[in-house]
Amino acid sequence: MNKFEAIQEKLIQVFDKFETIAQIETNPNSKIYIVDYQGQCYIIVDIQLSYSQCSIIQNNHKKTIEFNQEKIFNIINAQQFGFIPIDGKKGLLGFGDSHCDFIFFDNQDFCFVEFKVNATSERKVDKNRVKAIEQLENTINFFDEKLEKDYQKLNLEAYVCTPDSYPKDNPSWKKLAQDFLEKNRLYLFETREKICQQVSEE
């Protein structure tokens, strides 16, 4: 059993709804897109970037929607792939407490992701980042407790997805990321893309 299969088994044991909520791809496309649509995250089944349109599966039916490029997260070169929507009506934890938008994992990493795209001032940017970090930490703490911090030797990462207009790698962000690392023992990235490492099967 490799790490990908091991974390699946662990999640199935811990979460009754896991098998009905999660989507598992053992031979995924080289690029996977996740979109935030009306407060719920979905895997995009096909996409037309030039028209800003894509299709998702909603309530077991294919639905074509228009999207905001800044509400899409790209996952590249995943050899195996697991997707868990966290927030929203169809999410693992649903509405209520403040959690991140989704989690994904492959045979190397286990990643927590939160979209934060609305900001009109520098003050609002910082406020959005702080709120996103709070939601990520709430979710990490919840999973730490449920999994007893046993992620089957996968690396843990967290992502804040922000618009291109946000100043990247500025002192304010660097301080937040460093504090997050010290507090939560995992790296925090501000990006809308993850390039997965190619690793051999165990």
Side-chain angles (χ1 to χ4, degrees):
M1 180 183 297
N2 65 20
K3 289 186 284 186
F4 184 82
E5 294 164 339
I7 192 64
Q8 277 188 78
E9 187 173 290
K10 181 83 172 179
L11 291 164
I12 289 168
Q13 291 171 359
V14 170
F15 296 106
D16 292 338
K17 294 195 302 180
F18 177 80
E19 291 184 282
T20 58
I21 296 290
Q23 292 176 252
I24 304 298
E25 301 282 348
T26 55
N27 188 26
N29 295 325
S30 60
K31 182 176 280 191
I32 298 163
Y33 299 96
I34 308 294
V35 65
D36 180 354
Y37 176 66
Q38 297 182 342
Q40 184 78 55
C41 288
Y42 300 88
I43 295 177
I44 292 176
V45 294
D46 65 65
I47 189 167
Q48 297 179 351
L49 290 169
S50 58
Y51 295 99
S52 295
Q53 289 186 334
C54 66
S55 297
I56 60 174
I57 302 299
Q58 187 180 58
N59 300 321
N60 298 318
H61 296 285
K62 189 174 181 180
K63 179 182 178 71
T64 299
I65 62 171
E66 294 185 352
F67 66 84
N68 176 350
Q69 182 66 42
E70 295 183 333
K71 284 195 172 185
I72 287 183
F73 190 87
N74 304 321
I75 301 157
I76 300 169
N77 292 335
Q79 293 172 294
Q80 296 174 302
F81 178 74
F83 168 70
I84 313 170
I86 297 296
D87 206 5
K89 185 177 180 180
K90 300 290 186 179
L92 185 69
L93 303 183
F95 293 113
D97 292 336
S98 182
H99 296 108
C100 71
D101 289 314
F102 69 95
I103 288 169
F104 71 92
F105 59 94
D106 64 359
N107 52 354
Q108 187 74 9
D109 302 306
F110 193 94
C111 305
F112 302 84
V113 185
E114 172 64 19
F115 284 102
K116 276 287 176 284
V117 298
N118 299 320
T120 55
S121 67
E122 188 172 338
R123 182 178 177 184
K124 181 68 172 175
V125 166
D126 287 341
K127 188 175 180 180
N128 267 3
R129 284 169 166 163
V130 170
K131 178 62 176 175
I133 288 169
E134 177 185 313
Q135 289 171 263
L136 288 164
E137 288 181 337
N138 287 345
T139 313
I140 291 163
N141 291 337
F142 180 83
F143 272 76
D144 278 355
E145 181 179 344
K146 288 289 186 179
L147 299 178
E148 299 176 326
K149 297 186 178 181
D150 179 11
Y151 292 88
Q152 301 299 313
K153 299 182 181 179
L154 293 176
N155 301 316
L156 301 183
E157 297 178 344
Y159 290 82
V160 177
C161 305
T162 55
D164 296 334
S165 59
Y166 277 38
K168 302 297 189 282
D169 291 329
N170 63 335
S172 174
W173 169 254
K174 287 180 179 178
K175 176 73 163 56
L176 289 170
Q178 183 60 38
D179 290 348
F180 186 91
L181 175 61
E182 292 173 2
K183 181 179 179 181
N184 300 289
R185 82 200 182 284
L186 65 154
Y187 287 100
L188 177 67
F189 302 96
E190 187 174 35
T191 181
R192 299 191 307 272
E193 181 177 271
K194 162 71 174 177
I195 300 176
C196 299
Q197 298 180 46
Q198 297 292 315
V199 295
S200 59
E201 292 290 335
E202 294 182 359

